[in-house]
Every structure is written in C-alpha cells, then in structure tokens.
Amino acid sequence: DAGVIQSPRHEVTEMGQEVTLRCKPISGHNSLFWYRQTMMRGLELLIYFNNNVPIDDSGMPEDRFSAKMPNASFSTLKIQPSEPRDSAVYFCASSLLGEQFFGPGTRLTVL
Amino acid sequence: GEDVEQSLFLSVREGDSSVINCTYTDSSSTYLYWYKQEPGAGLQLLTYIFSNMDMKQDQRLTVLLNKKDKHLSLRIADTQTGDSAIYFCAENRGGGADGLTFGKGTHLIIQP
C-alpha cells in the first residue's frame, strides 16, 4: 500500500491567496483526520471525518478554513484567504480500527 | 494544564536503554500511542496500547501503561543513532474513531 498521500508537499503563497491541500487516505480506511503542526502549539486536530461525514470540526481555527470529503478516497482542506499565521505543516491521517497512519505532510508558508 | 505531558528532552548513550515518559489526564482514553518524527518528516506510528492492557512489547520497544496514575512509558532497548528523533505520546478518547490529543514531544538525543 502507498500509505496516506498528500499534495503538494510544499506550498508557498502570498497573504490573501486561496490554498487547497489534498489528501488520499489508505484504501479501505473509513476515518480521515486533518492535523496542523507548529512550533508554538504542537500538533492540533483540525477536523475529522467518519465514512466521509464530518464529525468534529471544533479544531478548525476560523471560518477561513474549510474541509471536504466528497468520497472515500479524497479530501481537501482549503484556506481562503490565507494569512501568515497559517504557516505550518498540515498532516492528513487515516484509520480503520484505531491505528492512525499519517501522511508526509504539506509544509505551508504564507508570506 | 496540558492534556498530555512529556519531558522536552532525553539524552542517552548509544547502547543504553531509553525510557520516555508521558502523563495524560483523561481516564476515558481507550487507546494510547507512541509516534516517532524525524527532522522534516511525517509521524511514524511506532506502537499503541489499548487501555485494558498493562504492557506491550514489540522487538526493542516496550510500552508500559499505569491507568491508576495515568502514566505511559516507552522503553527503547539498545538505543542506536537511528533512534534520534522526536517521540510523541498521544491519546484517543473515543474508542479509536476520534482524533488524537498529542503531547509536545520528547527530543531523544543519542550520545556516542
């Protein structure tokens, strides 16, 4: 299995631009998670889906952040408009029976 | 206070055992995890333990869980230079289907 796939691996954008991060979970997994990692706040859960349905989005920092999971093999995290404080590494993870496997992450830099 | 607490740094000599400790606050946690992160990389799941277990061993790794004290530890036997990384403790409160709450991570430093 290829594991969790995320794209792009690196993204540099200017403040105010829209950013879309993509994730393909491990085939057969029914839960998908988005996390953010920063030096100051560590690893934080943003949102997660079970069977493509958003369950808990209380970690999404602001209305500028949105996430979708149109099918079992694809999810997006969108930031519009982006701000410099959104700079972080964004991880996607998937699971079936409790083990959560993480993707390589997307390093986002907002100038 | 923090939900999951870990020491920031641990320094050990190559060949010795490393013991990384973690405390958590939610007694309803069902799964507890250890992840490894190398510089610039993602999180690698090392091992996890279900809350009804006291111990789990997997090759050089031993996980001990003390539910009464809400204390989790990871022992790495015969520590090697390749073990140098940040180790994160995490808890899952929802039967395995919820998001994880992570500690801040312990930097394991290996001395030659």
Side-chain angles (χ1 to χ4, degrees), chain B residues 4 7-9 13 21-22 32 39-40 53 66 77-78 81 88-89 95 97 111:
Chain B
V4 180
S7 298
L8 284 182
F9 295 97
R13 288 184 179 272
N21 295 301
C22 169
L32 294 139
M53 299 169 65
N66 181 330
D78 188 24
T81 55
F88 291 93
C89 171
Q111 298 176 6

Side-chain angles (χ1 to χ4, degrees), chain B residues 2-12 17-25 32-35 46 54 62-66 69-76 85-91 102-108:
Chain B
E2 295 288 336
D3 292 312
V4 180
E5 293 192 359
Q6 304 177 238
S7 298
L8 284 182
F9 295 97
L10 176 66
S11 179
V12 298
S17 292
S18 306
V19 180
I20 303 170
N21 295 301
C22 169
T23 56
Y24 59 99
T25 56
L32 294 139
Y33 305 78
W34 286 104
Y35 283 86
L46 286 178
D54 297 324
T62 303
V63 178
L64 295 177
L65 174 61
N66 181 330
D69 295 337
K70 299 189 186 68
H71 183 266
L72 183 74
S73 68
L74 173 70
R75 179 177 180 269
I76 305 172
I86 303 175
Y87 291 80
F88 291 93
C89 171
E91 61 175 344
F102 283 87
K104 289 288 194 289
T106 299
H107 294 243
L108 180 61

